[in-house]
Amino acid sequence: MYESEAKLAEPNATMRSGVGNVRATVPREHRQTVGNTRVDNPRIRCNKLNVYYGDTHAIHDINLDVGNNEILALIGPSGCGKTTFLRCMNRMNDTIPGCRVEGEIIVDKQNVNSPEVDVVPLRARMGMVFQKPNPFPKSIYENVAFGPRIHGLTANKAELDEVVETSLVKAGLWDEVKERLDQPGTGLSGGQQQRLCIARAIAVQPEVILMDEPCSALDPIATAVIENLMVELRQNFTICIVTHSMQQAARVSNRTAFFHLGDLIEVGETNELFIRPGHQLTEDYITGRFG
Amino acid sequence: METGTFPTQGGRKPLGIIQAGLAKRKAAETRFKTYGIVAIAAGLVFLAILFISIVGNAYTAFQQTQVKLDLYLDPDVIDPEGTRDLDVLSGANYAAIVRSGLQDQFPDVESRRDRRALNALVGRGATYDLRATVMAVPDLVGETLTVWVPADDDVDMLLKGNIDREAAEEGRRLSDQQLAWIDQLESRGRLAKRFNADFFTKGDSREPESAGIRGAVVGSFYTMLVTLLLSFPLGVAAAVYLEEFAPQNRFTDIIEVNINNLAAVPSIVFGLLGLAVFINFFGLPRSVPLVGGLVLTLMTLPTIIIASRATLKAVPPSIREAALGVGASQLQTVVLHVLPLAMPGMLTGAIIGMARALGETAPLLMIGMVAFIVDIPQGILDPATALPVQIFLWADSPERAFVERTSAATLVLLFFLIVMNALAVVLRKRFERRW
């Protein structure tokens, strides 16, 4: 998969190289990360992160910080490793046989990418929303109550009810479902299901919400609802979102990281990166020349 | 792209070639469909033959020829001292009462030989039934009881048309004299085919007229109970561990291969194993449902494990990710989300496995569940037999009346199997959840 894309990308390199030189960007052969990967007081700091699927080296030496209360967008062509990177942060890659993660992920001065760290509290701190809405085949209420219940966060039914309501309100779903909390979550529309999944994630009160292409299965209107929601949620959460839509990254994120074939090519303030990309590959990608 | 840039057969247009080949493709398709229909039709025909032959043989067994007798419960015979003591009642000569009841119908039969021939018309089971009746209500002694008692199996066979009246007397199971008595009884309305309740309420017997399947059904029930209680939890636990928790390595691969192999081991081998291990080594008693259940558990376990693993595999990974993503532990994910979704499939697998175990004969032969057992088993440690073994035993019996009983027992076994399979289908439809 990587090789075929590399071949596709290569001819472009020679064809377009003249254009890049005018803007004085870093040439494409150069794969060191452009831009400042570090922020002050990061929520998550990744040092020299490498991921292998069996013999395939999926992402190489990634250094990247996720700041507090920011939305970090991860963009890049398919197979570039952005989802893999996202899944490192709550150790979801542990569930994939043959997957090996090397390097450090520092959260609160602790390297969470070590076997001694229990994934249960880590995943409670790092909520996750998946590409395809995946509500449990249970009632709406049960979907949201699941997290608080297994972690024993609430003392009684009244508190749990409150958590469910608050989560659904924050996820912008309350008004649509308050009359039918006992109906199955799988009966909702795609956009509603995805917001239900967001409500389920925030019911555990995570510090970070990891979103893996949350709008890729949704229509533009449902997407707009979720984008507005992300901006709202930024007040209380740090959000890391993988997206295929550059417009979406431009609309919602504070910082953007561009991945290509397992390398982190460029990181920067979203406005900066989209207006003045510092690397030839970034420019080619955001201007739609490939990807 | 311009047409004609690719080489084609003989330089013809592609559409022309496709059109020319269409008839051949259609013919091939029709041929294939025909094969399929023929195969299904053949299957249905054989199924129909099977059912027609079984039902055709079996339905007569649900009726039994009975004789209506007025039995005077003579206190002098049953309880000469009038104590009504149960021991005395139990030991009384009820056969004499049944005999005299029958002889009352034919007072002119005098000689010992003739009397013996007459008595042979009534089955021996009547004696035991009468004793049970009197033991239950001792106050009946001294009264006259009008009861239908089962006729001998030869009489039964005559009325069902299985004995040829025209055959020579020596080659017939019934003498001319006996035929005359039977005709007389019939004309007086004292001989008739009635519903054969004994078939469902009694245990095995050497006399066809009082042989029933109750003992075998109860034995099968206890055996299945042991099998279900052992194989379902063990099978599900093994499947869940292998599928959700076990690391993928050479060791688990070997286990998997062995489980698949066990499913293909002939069942009689499991019977031998049960004989060697449970009976000879652990010293468990012979012929009991406990050992039968243990052996069938060994046989069913691989089926349940394989079916359960298949349903666990079918649960979408997105559900596991969703649960793990909010911080559920592996066990919470499995117990709260994966198992409920996989349960209908597991139950279906278990029921199909149980249905197979219910029809299994060979391993039960090895552990002695083939013995002739009259009493209805009261628990898993009472000697018992099972339905398929009962069929096997009856099929081996020489009496003509056992033929229809063999078929009837087969019908009962098939009935249970169909019910179990239907239950599996209903469970699957009912609890199947979409995600």
Side-chain angles (χ1 to χ4, degrees):
Chain A
M1 193 169 179
Y2 294 117
E3 274 158 22
S4 64
E5 271 179 18
K7 275 178 201 149
L8 279 176
E10 258 356 280
N12 279 345
T14 45
M15 266 157 45
R16 311 268 184 203
S17 55
V19 182
N21 287 337
V22 177
R23 298 263 179 98
T25 51
V26 180
R28 69 179 54 241
E29 296 73 34
H30 191 270
R31 297 187 75 84
Q32 289 292 320
T33 307
V34 176
N36 190 4
T37 59
R38 299 305 185 195
V39 298
D40 295 336
N41 186 24
R43 164 98 344 245
I44 307 168
R45 166 162 286 177
C46 302
N47 291 328
K48 292 210 156 267
L49 204 61
N50 281 284
V51 181
Y52 305 85
Y53 292 116
D55 296 331
T56 315
H57 195 175
I59 63 177
H60 323 130
D61 276 342
I62 305 272
N63 296 303
L64 184 61
D65 284 0
V66 185
N68 277 306
N69 291 43
E70 73 165 1
I71 300 183
L72 171 68
L74 309 176
I75 60 169
S78 298
C80 68
K82 51 194 191 302
T83 296
T84 303
F85 174 75
L86 188 79
R87 289 169 63 100
C88 287
M89 290 194 264
N90 67 345
R91 299 258 303 269
M92 282 303 276
N93 285 332
D94 288 13
T95 59
I96 299 171
C99 180
R100 210 167 78 246
V101 182
E102 288 170 4
E104 287 183 328
I105 300 167
I106 311 284
V107 181
D108 286 345
K109 295 176 185 143
Q110 190 193 18
N111 177 18
V112 297
N113 186 34
S114 88
E116 297 92 64
V117 172
D118 193 342
V119 292
V120 166
L122 175 67
R123 286 176 189 159
R125 296 171 72 177
M126 310 256 176
M128 191 158 207
V129 178
F130 297 85
Q131 184 171 0
K132 206 175 136 239
N134 57 353
F136 299 126
K138 298 190 176 187
S139 72
I140 294 169
Y141 183 93
E142 285 301 320
N143 263 282
V144 183
F146 177 68
R149 199 174 267 159
I150 55 166
H151 294 304
L153 299 184
T154 52
N156 52 45
K157 180 84 170 70
E159 280 183 28
L160 190 60
D161 288 347
E162 201 184 320
V163 168
V164 170
E165 181 176 341
T166 316
S167 307
L168 285 168
V169 168
K170 279 189 183 166
L173 193 61
W174 175 251
D175 289 334
E176 292 161 59
V177 301
K178 64 185 173 198
E179 304 297 331
R180 44 174 179 154
L181 289 175
D182 54 339
Q183 305 267 311
T186 41
L188 298 172
S189 74
Q192 288 174 326
Q193 286 191 14
Q194 196 60 299
R195 279 181 282 151
L196 178 62
C197 294
I198 294 174
R200 181 175 66 194
I202 59 187
V204 190
Q205 301 173 45
E207 296 160 10
V208 181
I209 303 177
L210 307 170
M211 294 185 168
D212 185 2
E213 295 177 39
C215 302
S216 64
L218 304 182
D219 67 67
I221 294 170
T223 303
V225 173
I226 292 194
E227 285 180 6
N228 291 336
L229 177 60
M230 281 190 256
V231 177
E232 291 274 313
L233 292 173
R234 214 188 88 193
Q235 317 295 326
N236 306 315
F237 304 96
T238 298
I239 298 176
C240 200
I241 174 175
V242 166
T243 177
H244 264 299
S245 157
M246 283 167 281
Q247 291 84 346
Q248 182 171 58
R251 281 193 298 265
V252 301
S253 69
N254 308 101
R255 283 166 74 233
T256 300
F258 171 65
F259 284 72
H260 184 250
L261 301 183
D263 287 312
L264 177 57
I265 301 295
E266 183 166 354
V267 193
E269 296 293 319
T270 301
N271 294 334
E272 197 68 14
L273 185 131
F274 278 98
I275 294 166
R276 277 187 291 280
H279 194 288
Q280 181 65 48
L281 277 169
T282 318
E283 188 187 331
D284 289 351
Y285 184 68
I286 62 175
T287 52
R289 286 181 194 142
F290 76 94
Chain B
M1 194 184 300
E2 221 176 314
T3 49
T5 47
F6 294 126
T8 54
Q9 267 189 61
R12 284 188 290 162
K13 293 232 177 219
L15 196 58
I17 301 175
I18 293 169
Q19 292 283 10
L22 268 187
K24 207 174 153 192
R25 289 195 215 178
K26 276 204 179 125
E29 202 168 311
T30 315
R31 228 167 25 242
F32 184 77
K33 276 187 196 161
T34 316
Y35 296 152
I37 291 169
V38 167
I40 289 173
L44 287 178
V45 165
F46 283 119
L47 190 69
I49 292 172
L50 174 80
F51 268 94
I52 290 169
S53 81
I54 292 177
V55 173
N57 270 322
Y59 78 98
T60 48
F62 297 117
Q63 285 201 320
Q64 163 72 33
T65 307
Q66 295 180 346
V67 188
K68 189 159 102 179
L69 294 180
D70 304 317
L71 299 178
Y72 173 55
L73 299 176
D74 191 347
D76 293 340
V77 176
I78 297 173
D79 188 14
E81 285 160 25
T83 56
R84 297 290 184 271
D85 183 29
L86 284 180
D87 280 344
V88 177
L89 292 181
S90 160
N93 186 1
Y94 294 99
I97 291 177
V98 175
R99 279 203 297 271
S100 64
L102 184 60
Q103 276 153 23
D104 288 346
Q105 297 295 324
F106 301 100
D108 48 335
V109 177
E110 293 287 339
S111 78
R112 268 181 76 89
R113 247 188 85 180
D114 286 351
R115 283 189 168 194
R116 193 175 293 161
L118 180 61
N119 292 337
L121 294 184
V122 172
R124 247 185 278 169
T127 314
Y128 305 116
D129 290 347
L130 186 61
R131 176 166 64 191
T133 313
V134 173
M135 299 275 287
V137 191
D139 288 343
L140 285 175
V141 176
E143 311 217 343
T144 300
L145 227 54
T146 305
V147 287
W148 287 90
V149 302
D152 188 68
D153 55 313
D154 289 333
V155 180
D156 191 38
M157 286 300 104
L158 178 78
L159 263 73
K160 287 172 181 169
N162 291 325
I163 290 179
D164 185 8
R165 279 172 183 265
E166 310 302 325
E169 194 175 0
E170 302 79 44
R172 218 192 294 130
R173 301 272 299 169
L174 295 165
S175 66
D176 290 341
Q177 179 65 66
Q178 283 175 315
L179 289 182
W181 287 328
I182 289 167
D183 292 341
Q184 279 183 45
L185 278 172
E186 217 175 348
S187 62
R188 289 179 209 158
R190 285 185 169 268
L191 190 74
K193 284 191 281 187
R194 288 159 55 92
F195 176 66
N196 189 2
D198 284 356
F199 183 70
F200 297 102
T201 57
K202 289 202 162 153
D204 197 9
S205 169
R206 294 283 184 228
E207 306 295 331
E209 67 272 8
S210 37
I213 53 162
R214 175 93 183 270
V217 169
V218 174
S220 270
F221 170 76
Y222 284 124
T223 312
M224 288 298 109
L225 194 69
V226 173
T227 311
L228 181 69
L229 290 183
L230 288 175
S231 64
F232 189 61
L234 281 178
V236 168
V240 167
Y241 178 75
L242 286 173
E243 203 54 48
E244 305 284 336
F245 294 94
Q248 293 283 314
N249 55 28
R250 184 175 288 266
F251 184 65
T252 45
D253 283 351
I254 291 174
I255 289 178
E256 184 165 355
V257 168
N258 277 302
I259 288 171
N260 291 344
N261 282 342
L262 273 184
V265 168
S267 55
I268 195 149
V269 177
F270 286 110
L272 276 170
L273 181 107
L275 176 64
V277 174
F278 298 130
I279 294 179
N280 287 350
F281 186 74
F282 288 113
L284 292 175
R286 274 163 212 277
S287 310
V288 299
L290 174 65
V291 178
L294 285 170
V295 167
L296 292 178
T297 298
L298 292 178
M299 211 197 74
T300 321
L301 210 47
T303 317
I304 293 183
I305 294 177
I306 291 169
S308 301
R309 289 190 71 175
T311 42
L312 285 172
K313 272 204 184 86
V315 174
S318 66
I319 296 292
R320 292 187 184 84
E321 291 203 319
L324 292 173
V326 290
S329 66
Q330 187 80 6
L331 186 67
Q332 283 170 328
T333 306
V334 170
V335 171
L336 298 175
H337 292 291
V338 179
L339 268 188
L341 288 175
M343 204 35 90
M346 290 181 169
L347 282 177
T348 309
I351 292 171
I352 305 262
M354 297 299 289
R356 244 191 68 192
L358 176 64
E360 201 55 69
T361 321
L364 301 183
L365 303 184
M366 300 308 296
I367 55 151
M369 284 185 85
V370 68
F372 172 73
I373 290 150
V374 176
D375 292 328
I376 314 261
Q378 300 297 319
I380 57 167
L381 286 171
D382 277 1
T385 183
L387 255 181
V389 183
Q390 186 69 72
I391 293 167
F392 169 78
L393 284 170
W394 283 350
D396 224 22
S397 303
E399 286 87 352
R400 181 68 182 75
F402 272 125
V403 174
E404 58 176 29
R405 280 174 169 74
T406 306
S407 293
T410 311
L411 206 60
V412 172
L413 180 62
L414 280 177
F415 169 76
F416 282 122
L417 293 179
I418 290 170
V419 165
M420 285 171 85
N421 281 312
L423 188 69
V425 172
V426 168
L427 278 177
R428 196 165 51 211
K429 287 263 177 274
R430 183 83 179 269
F431 295 106
E432 202 168 46
R433 271 199 268 188
R434 300 185 56 79
W435 47 76

